[in-house]
Amino acid sequence: MTRPVVGIIGNSALLYDEYPVHTGGVMNSSAVADVAGCMPLIIPSDPSLVSVAELLDLCDGFLLTGGRPNVHPQEYGEDPTPAHGEFDRERDNVALGLVRACVERGQPFLGVCRGFQEVNVAMGGTLYPEIRELPGRMNHRMPPDGTLEEKFELRHQVRFSEGGVFHRLMGAKEVMTNTLHGQGIKTAGKNIVIDGHAPDGTPEAIYVEGATGFTLAVQWHPEYNAAQDPVSRALFTAFGDAARSWKCGARSTSRVA
C-alpha cells in the first residue's frame, strides 16, 4: 500500500536575492516521512498555481508550516502596522481557505507556528502582532544568534488542560517545547479550543471543537528533532495515523482517545 500524501504548505522566498522560489524546510519533510510515515509533497502556496479543491483531492492531509511572513491583519479586520512584520498574501489566499475546507470535510491537518495562527484566523480569530510587548509576557522569539540547536532548544513549559486532547495524546499534563514566534492568539476563532498555554498565558495548543477530522495545531516547532523528541513524535505519529485513516476512507477524529 502506498503511503498517504501530506501536502506541506510552502513559503515564498528569493534565492540569491532575485530568483523567486517556493520552499519547504527539510525537517518538515523528514518529520512527515520518518515519523508520520507519509509521503511529503511541498505545495506552492500561490492561488494562481493551485486551488483548494485540487489540493483536497490530491492530498490525504496537510502540514501548515511555520514561516517568516505573518498572516495579513486584514484577514481578521485590522490594519497592518510595522509590528506585524512581513506578509505573504498568496499563502494567506491558499492556506486560510484550505483550513476551512478541511474542517468542513474532516480532512486532517497539523498546524505549526504560523500554521497555528492560520487555523485561528481561518476560524474567525485574531492575533497580537508582537507577544513580547504585552505586559507580563515573555519573549517567545528565537535567539537572534547561535547554532540551529541553540535556536530550537527547549525553552519553556506548555501546560495542557486536564484530561484534554493534548494531555491524552502526550500522556503528560506538562511538556517542554521550543519557541520561535513573535505573534500569538488574541481572540480565539469559532470553535477553537485553547488546550495548552505557556507559563505566561500565551496559547500554545489548539484544536477545532466539533470537527470530525484531526485539527491539532501548536505554536512551537515540533518538526525539529521530531524522531527523537517524545512530544514531537507523539504529535506526528497521531497526525500520520489520521492521514492513513483518511486515505482508507475513514473519518478520524481530532480527539485522541
Side-chain angles (χ1 to χ4, degrees):
M1 177 178 170
T2 58
R3 292 177 293 172
V5 176
V6 168
I8 299 175
I9 301 303
N11 288 296
S12 300
L14 288 177
L15 188 63
Y16 307 122
D17 297 321
E18 61 179 353
Y19 183 74
V21 295
H22 289 119
T23 67
V26 173
M27 64 178 71
N28 290 310
S29 297
S30 296
V32 167
D34 299 337
V35 185
C38 301
M39 189 186 83
L41 182 67
I42 297 175
I43 302 298
S45 52
D46 184 333
S48 70
L49 304 176
V50 300
S51 71
V52 169
E54 290 172 314
L55 294 177
L56 293 170
D57 286 342
L58 177 66
C59 300
D60 300 297
F62 297 93
L63 177 62
L64 306 165
T65 62
R68 185 173 296 276
N70 295 308
V71 178
H72 200 288
Q74 287 182 352
E75 297 291 348
Y76 46 92
E78 297 183 11
D79 294 325
T81 69
H84 286 93
E86 305 172 26
F87 305 116
D88 184 344
R89 296 300 274 143
E90 285 75 23
R91 174 163 170 167
D92 292 346
N93 289 330
V94 171
L96 299 180
L98 182 62
V99 168
R100 289 188 284 265
C102 283
V103 169
E104 182 177 349
R105 284 164 58 98
Q107 200 156 345
F109 62 74
L110 172 61
V112 169
C113 201
R114 175 193 158 111
F116 169 95
Q117 295 161 12
E118 286 172 335
V119 173
N120 187 57
V121 172
M123 301 304 292
T126 64
L127 304 173
Y128 286 114
E130 189 63 75
I131 289 292
R132 63 183 172 181
E133 295 179 357
L134 300 176
R137 301 291 185 95
M138 61 185 284
N139 182 6
H140 286 254
R141 289 188 175 273
M142 71 178 182
D145 302 308
T147 64
L148 194 67
E149 290 77 12
E150 289 168 335
K151 291 178 179 180
F152 280 88
E153 69 178 346
L154 304 181
R155 290 174 51 205
H156 69 64
Q157 288 183 325
V158 172
R159 174 181 284 266
F160 303 126
S161 302
E162 180 74 41
V165 171
F166 283 87
H167 183 188
R168 299 198 305 273
L169 174 63
M170 301 297 175
K173 193 172 179 180
E174 292 183 358
V175 299
M176 288 293 295
T177 71
N178 55 41
T179 181
L180 296 89
H181 65 103
Q183 298 198 322
I185 289 179
K186 182 178 181 181
T187 59
K190 182 180 179 181
N191 295 331
I192 292 289
V193 175
I194 300 175
D195 203 38
H197 294 82
D200 64 356
T202 298
E204 293 279 344
I206 61 174
Y207 64 90
V208 183
E209 187 172 32
T212 59
F214 186 102
T215 62
L216 274 57
V218 297
Q219 186 62 90
W220 68 90
H221 282 264
E223 72 274 18
Y224 178 74
N225 199 31
Q228 285 74 44
D229 180 72
V231 174
S232 300
R233 191 168 60 248
L235 195 56
F236 274 97
T237 297
F239 174 54
D241 290 342
R244 272 180 289 279
S245 293
W246 178 267
K247 180 177 176 62
C248 293
R251 296 293 194 268
S252 68
T253 175
S254 64
R255 296 192 174 239
V256 180

